[in-house]
Amino acid sequence: MSASPSSPTGTSSPLGVHRVLEPAGEYLPQAARVLDARPELWDDEVRIDVETLNLDAASFRQLHDKHGGDGSAIRAEVLDIVRTRGKMQNPVTGSGGMLIGTVAEVGPQSPLGLAPGDRVATLVSLSLTPLAITDGLERWDGLGERVPAAGHAILFGRSIAARLPEDLAPELALMVMDVCGAPALVARTVEAYAGRPPSDTAARSGDGPSVVVLGGAGKSGSLSLAAAAHAGATRRVAVVRDATEAALLEGTGLATHVVVADARSPLGLSEALSSAGGPADLTVVCVDVTGCEQPAILATADGGTVIFFSMATNFAAAALGAEGLAADVTMLVGNGYVPGHAAYALDLLRGNAAVRTLFEGRIED
Amino acid sequence: MSASPSSPTGTSSPLGVHRVLEPAGEYLPQAARVLDARPELWDDEVRIDVETLNLDAASFRQLHDKHGGDGSAIRAEVLDIVRTRGKMQNPVTGSGGMLIGTVAEVGPQSPLGLAPGDRVATLVSLSLTPLAITDGLERWDGLGERVPAAGHAILFGRSIAARLPEDLAPELALMVMDVCGAPALVARTVEAYAGRPPSDTAARSGDGPSVVVLGGAGKSGSLSLAAAAHAGATRRVAVVRDATEAALLEGTGLATHVVVADARSPLGLSEALSSAGGPADLTVVCVDVTGCEQPAILATADGGTVIFFSMATNFAAAALGAEGLAADVTMLVGNGYVPGHAAYALDLLRGNAAVRTLFEGRIED
C-alpha cells in the first residue's frame, strides 16, 4: 500500500493509532475511515498472510440485499471497500468480520507470542484490522460470507489472535471463533442468575435460570444454547423462523422448547413463547435483522436481562423501547470479547455433538 | 385527527398497538411510522391537554444542526413531524422527549390511577405517544428544547405518568423526570459493585466503587453523580468540555475530581483521567455526541461497566469497539425505566443543593 520501501519509524500505539490515515486528528482504527495497510511492520506488530475472510453476517446481508444477490457486484464492492479504506468495514453496518491466515513476520516487540508459520484466526474485528487484498478475490463467487483471499493483514500490540486448533478443520474453527463472544457472555450471565431467586415473572422448571434464544439454530444461537445448558440454565427456548430450522434443533437436547415465530413480531413472539413457559430470565438476540428490540424486551421477565448480539441492533430502539414498555430489564451490548472466549467456544463444540453437527452442516452449504 | 366523531370501538392493547396506522401489520407504537392521534379514547386510555413538550437533547441537537439554528425552520419541521406521524419522533435520531399537561379525560378501564385535572408528566417517550398540536407552536421560538404547546396526547394502559410534585416548579420537575432513568440505574449499578472487590485496575480511594461521568455538568450527568454518591461511590470523576462547565461543579462536592477533556478523544480522555485516579469501575456516558463509545470503554477498568445514556450511541461502535480493544467490560443500554425512578430523582434534587442549583440555572437559560 505504501510507496515507501523504508521501515516505519516513529512510535507505534498498541491500539493501532499510528495506522490511522483519515480523518486527521486522533481516532482509533475502528472509528477511522482509512487505515495505512502497508506491509512493513512497526516493532510491536505482526503481519499475517491471509487465507480466508469471514464477513460479518449483518455486513454480508446488507451487501447481498443492496446488490440483489449479484455476486460480481458484491465482490467488486468488497474489493473497493478494502482498497479505499485499508480495512474491510461495511460503511452501512459498521461491522467487519474476521480472518484466518499464517503468521508471516513478527515485530521484535510484539507481545502476542506468535511465530512465523503459525496458523491463526484474528479475534478482533476486520473493521479495525489493516488489510490489503492482492488476488482480486478471484476464488470467491460473492455469494457467501466465507471469502478465500490472498493478501496481508496487520495485528497491533493489543490485538488478539488465536492459533487454530489441530483437531478441527480451519473453516470449522473459524466459524466458532467468529461468534465466540456470545457463548462466553451467555455463560457468565446465566451463572450470575443461577445464584439468585427467579425474576418476578419467569417461570422456572427445576432450579436453574430460563433462557430464550432468538435465532437458536444459527451459529451464535446454537453455541449460546449450549453455553446456557453448560452454565446451568434449565428451561432453554430456541426461537427459529421456520420448520426447517426447527428440525435442525429438535431431538438434539440443545433446547428444551423449539418455537417457530417471527422475532420481529412483538405480540406474535410473546404469544408463541406463552406455550413454552413464557418470559425468561435471559433473552439472547442472535438474529441479524432489524426490529427485534421490543420483541426481545417483551420476551424477558421483569428483572431479567437481554443480550443483543446482532449488529443490526438499534441503540435508540432498545433504550426507548424498554422505557415505552415500562420494562425493568437489564440490556447488554454484546461485547465480542470475554477472556477465554475462543477456548470456551471450541470446547463447547468438541463436547456437544449437536452443535458440531450444526456447524459442520454449514460448511457444506 | 379523526374525521369520525364516534367513540372508538374494538379491543385496545395496553401497549397501544390499536393506535398504529402505518406500516400495516403488527408494530408497536415506538416502531411505527404513523399513529392515530384522535382525541376519542379507548376504554383503557387517558387524554392529556398538553402544556409543554420537552424535546430529547439528541433530537433537538439534530434539528438545530440540520437547520443551522434557524428557529422558524426547526419549528416548522417539528410541526410537520407531529402532523404526519401523529407523534413527535425525530426520524433521524429515533428519539422523542416527554411532556407535561393536565389530565382531560380518563377511560373507565384505565389502570393508571389518574383523575381529570391532575397535572402530570409523561414518563414514556414522545416517540410512542399519540400527539396532536393545535396552536402551531406559536409561543415557541424554535431555539430551545422546552416547547410551550397546546394540543392533546394519549396515554395507553401500560404508559407511565407521574403527578407533578407540589413543592417544585413544573419546569424543574419536568427536567428532572426527563432524565430520571439515569440516576436510578447508576445507583443500582453502584450498589451492585459496592458489595464486590474492586475491578482489576480500578484504584479506589476509600471503600466504595469509582465512577466516571462523561458530561458531568449536564442534567443526567449531575443527577448521576449525586446518585453515585448516594449509593456509595467514593471516587467520582466528572468529565466536562470546558472551564465554564467545570466551574459549575467545582466546590459542589458532587464530584471528587473535575476534568476538562473531549469525550470523543480516546487517548486524550485516558490521559486526562490518569491525573484523577485512572479507569473507573463504572463509566456513565451522558454526552449527546457521537464517537464516545471507545473513549468510554478505555475509561473503564477491566471487569468494569459502561452505561450508555446518550441517544447518540452507536450500537456497533460499542460492540466492536470493546472487542477491538480486548476490553472485558459490561456495557449497558441505558434503559429509561427503573421502578421508582422519578421519585428517586426528585428526592436527589430536593436533598442536594448543588444539583438543584444546576437545574435551576438551566431554567433561566
Side-chain angles (χ1 to χ4, degrees):
Chain A
M1 293 290 282
S2 166
S4 158
S6 64
S7 281
T9 53
T11 315
S12 63
S13 148
L15 302 175
V17 179
H18 58 287
R19 290 266 185 179
V20 173
L21 295 179
E22 291 181 27
E26 183 228 306
Y27 283 81
L28 291 175
Q30 210 264 330
R33 208 172 64 71
V34 183
L35 298 183
D36 178 353
R38 76 172 80 174
E40 293 82 14
L41 299 182
W42 269 263
D43 276 354
D44 65 346
E45 295 183 332
V46 169
R47 189 175 66 254
I48 310 284
D49 282 339
V50 175
E51 290 176 32
T52 310
L53 308 176
N54 218 41
L55 302 183
D56 170 72
S59 171
F60 179 74
R61 176 186 289 261
Q62 188 274 332
L63 292 167
H64 188 272
D65 292 352
K66 174 180 173 185
H67 295 291
D70 177 346
S72 307
I74 295 168
R75 184 172 53 197
E77 179 160 358
V78 169
L79 282 167
D80 185 59
I81 289 171
V82 176
R83 191 169 45 237
T84 55
R85 305 197 67 173
K87 59 178 176 173
M88 179 53 216
Q89 182 178 27
N90 182 310
V92 175
T93 64
S95 56
M98 56 187 301
L99 62 84
I100 53 176
T102 305
V103 173
E105 187 185 351
V106 178
Q109 306 292 327
S110 169
L112 300 184
L114 298 173
D118 286 349
R119 282 190 89 196
V120 297
T122 63
L123 299 183
V124 290
S125 172
L126 289 180
S127 64
L128 56 89
T129 302
L131 174 69
I133 291 173
T134 54
D135 69 345
L137 301 179
E138 61 188 13
R139 288 170 292 150
W140 182 46
D141 62 8
L143 296 178
E145 298 167 15
R146 229 170 27 253
V147 184
H152 69 263
I154 304 294
L155 298 178
F156 308 125
R158 194 164 158 173
S159 298
I160 308 179
R163 279 194 197 80
L164 288 171
E166 297 184 358
D167 61 326
L168 298 171
E171 295 78 13
L172 188 59
L174 182 66
M175 276 198 296
V176 172
M177 293 193 206
D178 186 30
V179 295
C180 65
L185 188 52
V186 167
R188 181 187 274 186
T189 308
V190 169
E191 278 160 13
Y193 270 98
R196 302 185 213 166
S199 307
D200 286 5
T201 55
R204 286 198 189 157
S205 54
D207 290 319
S210 53
V211 174
V212 166
V213 178
L214 306 184
K219 290 183 288 184
S220 56
S222 58
L223 276 171
S224 293
L225 285 166
H230 178 256
T234 41
R235 181 163 65 94
R236 300 182 304 278
V237 184
V239 176
V240 297
R241 65 181 158 195
D242 56 30
T244 309
E245 286 201 340
L248 292 173
L249 288 173
E250 266 152 18
T252 64
L254 276 174
T256 56
H257 303 72
V258 179
V259 170
V260 176
D262 184 347
R264 294 164 301 184
S265 162
L267 305 187
L269 180 62
S270 288
E271 223 162 89
L273 287 175
S274 67
S275 65
D281 295 308
L282 171 62
T283 299
V284 186
V285 181
C286 295
V287 283
D288 278 309
V289 293
T290 57
C292 298
E293 296 86 0
Q294 283 197 317
I297 292 162
L298 282 173
T300 308
D302 239 43
T305 297
V306 183
I307 310 180
F308 292 102
F309 283 112
S310 165
M311 286 299 148
T313 303
N314 180 291
F315 182 87
L320 297 174
E323 182 189 302
L325 298 170
D328 181 19
V329 296
T330 299
M331 295 184 287
L332 299 182
V333 177
N335 180 351
Y337 178 72
V338 174
H341 57 346
Y344 179 67
L346 290 167
D347 278 349
L348 282 175
L349 179 100
R350 290 188 185 102
N352 193 312
V355 172
R356 185 157 184 162
T357 303
L358 276 171
F359 272 74
E360 288 177 340
R362 284 174 168 268
I363 292 185
E364 288 142 25
D365 274 357
Chain B
M1 295 288 284
S2 167
S4 156
S6 64
S7 281
T9 53
T11 315
S12 63
S13 147
L15 302 175
V17 179
H18 58 286
R19 290 267 185 178
V20 173
L21 294 179
E22 291 179 26
E26 184 228 306
Y27 283 80
L28 292 174
Q30 210 264 331
R33 209 173 63 72
V34 183
L35 298 183
D36 178 353
R38 75 172 82 175
E40 294 82 12
L41 298 182
W42 270 262
D43 277 355
D44 65 346
E45 295 183 333
V46 169
R47 189 174 65 255
I48 310 284
D49 283 340
V50 175
E51 290 175 33
T52 310
L53 309 176
N54 218 41
L55 301 184
D56 170 72
S59 171
F60 179 73
R61 175 186 289 261
Q62 188 273 334
L63 292 167
H64 188 272
D65 291 351
K66 174 180 174 185
H67 295 291
D70 176 347
S72 307
I74 296 169
R75 183 172 55 199
E77 179 160 358
V78 169
L79 281 167
D80 185 60
I81 290 171
V82 175
R83 190 169 47 236
T84 55
R85 305 196 66 172
K87 59 177 176 175
M88 179 52 216
Q89 182 177 27
N90 183 309
V92 175
T93 64
S95 56
M98 57 187 302
L99 63 83
I100 53 176
T102 305
V103 173
E105 188 185 351
V106 178
Q109 306 291 329
S110 169
L112 301 184
L114 298 173
D118 286 349
R119 280 190 90 195
V120 296
T122 62
L123 299 183
V124 290
S125 171
L126 289 179
S127 63
L128 56 89
T129 302
L131 174 69
I133 291 173
T134 53
D135 69 345
L137 301 179
E138 61 187 12
R139 288 170 292 149
W140 181 47
D141 61 9
L143 296 178
E145 298 167 16
R146 232 171 23 255
V147 183
H152 69 264
I154 305 293
L155 298 179
F156 307 126
R158 195 164 158 174
S159 298
I160 308 179
R163 279 194 197 80
L164 288 171
E166 297 186 357
D167 61 327
L168 299 172
E171 295 78 13
L172 188 60
L174 181 66
M175 276 199 295
V176 172
M177 293 191 204
D178 186 29
V179 295
C180 65
L185 188 52
V186 167
R188 181 188 276 187
T189 307
V190 169
E191 278 161 13
Y193 270 97
R196 301 186 213 165
S199 306
D200 286 5
T201 55
R204 285 197 189 159
S205 55
D207 290 319
S210 54
V211 175
V212 165
V213 178
L214 306 184
K219 290 183 287 183
S220 56
S222 58
L223 277 171
S224 292
L225 285 166
H230 179 255
T234 41
R235 181 163 64 95
R236 300 182 305 278
V237 183
V239 176
V240 297
R241 65 182 158 196
D242 56 30
T244 310
E245 286 201 340
L248 291 173
L249 288 173
E250 266 152 17
T252 64
L254 275 175
T256 56
H257 304 71
V258 179
V259 170
V260 176
D262 184 346
R264 295 163 301 183
S265 162
L267 306 187
L269 180 63
S270 288
E271 222 162 272
L273 288 175
S274 67
S275 65
D281 295 308
L282 171 63
T283 299
V284 186
V285 181
C286 295
V287 282
D288 278 309
V289 293
T290 56
C292 299
E293 297 86 0
Q294 284 197 318
I297 291 162
L298 282 173
T300 308
D302 239 44
T305 298
V306 183
I307 311 181
F308 292 102
F309 283 112
S310 164
M311 285 300 148
T313 303
N314 180 291
F315 181 88
L320 297 175
E323 183 190 301
L325 298 170
D328 182 19
V329 296
T330 299
M331 295 185 286
L332 299 181
V333 177
N335 181 351
Y337 177 72
V338 174
H341 57 347
Y344 179 67
L346 290 167
D347 278 349
L348 283 175
L349 180 99
R350 289 187 186 103
N352 192 313
V355 172
R356 186 159 183 159
T357 302
L358 276 171
F359 272 74
E360 287 176 342
R362 285 173 167 269
I363 292 183
E364 287 143 25
D365 275 355

